[in-house]
Amino acid sequence: MIKINFENMGGLVPAIIQDFKTNEVLMVAFLDEKALDLTLETGKTWFFSRSRNKYWMKGEQSGNTQEVKEVLTDCDSDALVIKVKQNGGAACHTGNRSCFYVRWENGEWVEHSEPLFDPDEVYKK
């Protein structure tokens, strides 16, 4: 039986979150065993925040939740791809659809996205 290997990175595995229709990479986050269990049980993406040292469900503050459509693991069972339906349009805490909106072009990093919401308003920082 295949089991996810949480030991290689101190109890966490990286997860690439993709749009299930387009395969666009929306974000990368980390899950421990509890976050993976919550994700599989609820059908919503749950992660473990290393900086805040807590569990969080994507969209719990912004309303931009993710419905899990498919979960895959790699050949070593130490990384995941989670394909989702992105609700609310924006996966990134900056208000952009994807966290990967900055591209290397002609020797510099260039932003290629307009935020769909104002994070200062949504998160009241």
Side-chain angles (χ1 to χ4, degrees):
M1 180 164 91
I2 296 171
K3 296 185 90 170
I4 302 301
N5 183 348
F6 291 98
E7 301 312 311
N8 285 352
M9 292 184 58
L12 299 171
V13 293
I16 299 162
I17 312 304
Q18 287 183 302
D19 182 283
F20 82 106
K21 286 186 178 175
T22 67
N23 287 326
E24 175 186 16
V25 175
L26 299 173
M27 57 184 285
V28 173
F30 289 86
L31 291 83
D32 65 4
E33 193 167 0
K34 179 178 176 180
L36 179 57
D37 288 345
L38 286 166
T39 296
L40 297 174
E41 289 168 10
T42 66
K44 304 283 187 192
T45 51
W46 282 83
F47 306 107
F48 183 77
S49 170
R50 297 171 296 158
S51 61
R52 295 178 289 166
N53 197 33
K54 69 174 245 175
Y55 294 95
W56 60 283
M57 184 188 79
K58 180 63 186 160
E60 65 189 356
Q61 287 184 297
S62 67
N64 294 307
T65 59
Q66 296 173 336
E67 295 175 39
V68 176
K69 298 296 185 180
E70 185 176 20
V71 181
L72 303 105
T73 190
D74 70 333
C75 55
D76 296 322
S77 301
D78 62 0
L80 301 171
V81 171
I82 303 176
K83 296 190 178 194
V84 301
K85 176 184 176 200
Q86 179 63 53
N87 296 313
C92 187
H93 72 280
T94 64
N96 289 282
R97 169 150 174 84
S98 169
C99 294
F100 295 91
Y101 60 91
V102 180
R103 181 182 308 134
W104 181 255
E105 292 180 356
N106 301 315
E108 64 181 346
W109 294 102
V110 180
E111 291 186 19
H112 284 278
S113 180
E114 291 295 324
L116 301 173
F117 67 82
D118 180 349
D120 291 334
E121 286 296 312
V122 170
Y123 301 114
K124 305 288 187 216
K125 291 182 178 180

